[in-house]
Amino acid sequence: MASAFRPQQARIPPALAIPIPLLTKAIGNLFCFIYRFKIGLCQLAVTPDKERNIKHARKAIKEAAQKGAQLVVLPEIWNSPYSNDSFPVYAEDIDAGHDASPSTAMLAEVSGQLKITIVGGSIPERCGDKLYNTCCIFGTDGKLKAKHRKIHLFDIDIPGKLTFMESKTFTSGETPTIVDTDVGRIGIGICHDICFEELAMIYASRGAHLICYPGAFNMTSGPSHWELLQRSRAADNQLYVATCSPARDAGAGYIAWGHSTLVGPFGDVIATTEHDEDIIIAEIDYSILEQRRTRIPLAKQRRGDLYRLVDIRRLDAHCRL
């Protein structure tokens, strides 16, 4: 009966297998694949002083690396206050080079110096007459490997609690971002992107081991949704999810919830923190992914006869071949 479900057609094009992680270790004259590594989540206090924020982030990244982290994640909008008034003032032209973008220049320098992979949270990016909420990913060689512009902008209006319209200043990104790094294949989302399961499903179908969501959930949505969404995205797609938030500043115009977290493929919270500044060091073990998918074989149980996820960009590329 299961064969009639046509699970292979539940994702179009068909899902890619999770690739063998790129991490390797030399043992004598042989190289073997290793599946475990440490991730560092740097929950940072953000101030109006941009130079201070950059220096502070550099220090936190170095501390995480000293504690063994091979992948370090920063928060959403870590170089600027989170406000529509601040975004244009603190924005940097990433494509124009290091002089025009001191925040990403620091990330490039530190990643190459420490030989680590950095998911650089996000900063306001200026490109022509547009602003984007942008995450840059740097490899162990210090080079920019990918750039994700926040796809789903945070526009919310809850009377008596919170109104914020990110679209007043930012333009939506147009492209899902998945990148092969020395610590595996990583999908990238920013904050409100986590609310949309379709994006996570696309990353899973493209073979992601891990999805990183730099985010700044607030005191309204944080208590009810922050952990719930992380665990849902991880359990539904049977992969790791890592989030990194700014530390809470009760005097700020926009107050972050905090609680940076690593969630495993069983939907289990592996490590988390409260709302103050902190650096989480936790272990990721990719061998668990296959274990999870074997024990609960969702890929074989999807009802391709009833529903389908269409990855538009992969489909377009497939049709051009």
Side-chain angles (χ1 to χ4, degrees):
M1 180 60 181
S3 61
F5 293 170
R6 299 197 294 274
Q8 72 280 4
Q9 295 182 28
R11 299 185 186 223
I12 300 176
L16 302 175
I18 294 184
I20 296 174
L22 300 180
L23 284 77
T24 59
K25 182 177 182 180
I27 300 180
N29 295 323
L30 300 176
F31 285 89
C32 68
F33 293 106
I34 57 174
Y35 294 87
R36 296 181 179 180
F37 68 94
K38 289 183 179 179
I39 184 173
L41 309 176
C42 299
Q43 185 164 290
L44 304 175
V46 179
T47 74
D49 186 338
K50 184 177 181 178
E51 184 177 351
R52 181 267 179 200
N53 294 334
I54 294 173
K55 290 180 179 178
H56 192 54
R58 179 199 297 269
K59 180 181 177 182
I61 293 168
K62 288 186 174 181
E63 182 177 340
Q66 288 170 357
K67 293 179 178 179
Q70 292 173 262
L71 170 64
V72 176
V73 185
L74 296 186
E76 180 184 24
I77 307 294
W78 57 266
N79 71 344
S80 161
Y82 195 96
S83 74
N84 280 318
D85 290 338
S86 298
F87 298 149
V89 177
Y90 288 74
E92 300 178 3
D93 188 340
I94 297 170
D95 293 339
H98 289 176
D99 290 342
S101 182
S103 300
T104 58
M106 180 275 290
L107 297 178
E109 177 188 345
V110 175
S111 60
Q113 180 185 82
L114 301 178
K115 306 301 180 187
I116 60 173
T117 299
I118 296 177
V119 174
S122 77
I123 65 170
E125 177 196 11
R126 185 179 301 280
C127 184
D129 60 352
K130 295 181 178 180
L131 295 180
Y132 297 94
N133 187 339
T134 301
C135 175
C136 293
I137 301 89
F138 289 88
T140 55
D141 57 1
K143 294 182 179 179
L144 179 66
K145 295 186 72 67
K147 185 168 68 171
H148 177 77
R149 290 169 170 168
K150 190 174 185 177
I151 295 173
H152 306 94
L153 297 182
F154 183 63
D155 288 358
I156 184 173
D157 184 11
I158 302 176
K161 291 189 176 181
L162 178 67
T163 298
F164 196 94
M165 297 293 169
E166 203 174 32
S167 61
K168 284 186 176 180
T169 50
F170 286 133
T171 298
S172 297
E174 298 293 336
T175 309
T177 304
I178 192 162
V179 55
D180 285 320
T181 74
D182 285 3
V183 288
R185 181 167 291 178
I186 304 174
I188 305 294
I190 299 174
C191 200
H192 199 47
D193 285 339
I194 200 174
C195 296
F196 299 88
E197 65 270 30
E198 298 89 346
L199 182 62
M201 291 168 68
I202 284 174
Y203 289 153
S205 73
R206 293 185 186 183
H209 302 96
L210 162 71
I211 305 177
C212 291
Y213 293 100
F217 270 49
N218 52 74
M219 300 299 291
T220 300
S221 60
S224 56
H225 291 159
W226 181 237
E227 182 180 307
L228 171 66
L229 289 169
Q230 295 173 61
R231 297 182 69 185
S232 298
R233 299 295 85 86
D236 288 350
N237 296 288
Q238 300 178 311
L239 42 64
Y240 282 90
V241 166
T243 61
C244 191
S245 168
R248 190 180 305 171
D249 178 359
Y254 181 96
I255 304 175
W257 173 240
H259 296 270
S260 302
T261 303
L262 176 67
V263 178
F266 288 83
D268 50 318
V269 175
I270 295 172
T272 189
T273 188
E274 296 294 327
H275 60 270
D276 293 327
E277 270 205 320
D278 202 355
I279 298 175
I280 298 173
I281 305 296
E283 186 175 80
I284 287 177
D285 182 355
Y286 286 150
S287 68
I288 295 175
L289 298 179
E290 185 60 33
Q291 178 189 103
R292 163 69 168 166
R293 296 179 180 201
T294 300
R295 292 179 178 179
I296 306 178
L298 299 184
K300 297 178 180 179
Q301 298 168 342
R302 288 195 166 88
R303 294 294 299 270
D305 56 323
L306 299 179
Y307 50 76
R308 294 175 185 178
L309 170 74
V310 181
D311 187 339
I312 299 297
R313 290 183 180 272
R314 280 187 63 214
L315 181 62
D316 288 345
H318 182 75
C319 291
R320 287 194 296 269
L321 295 177

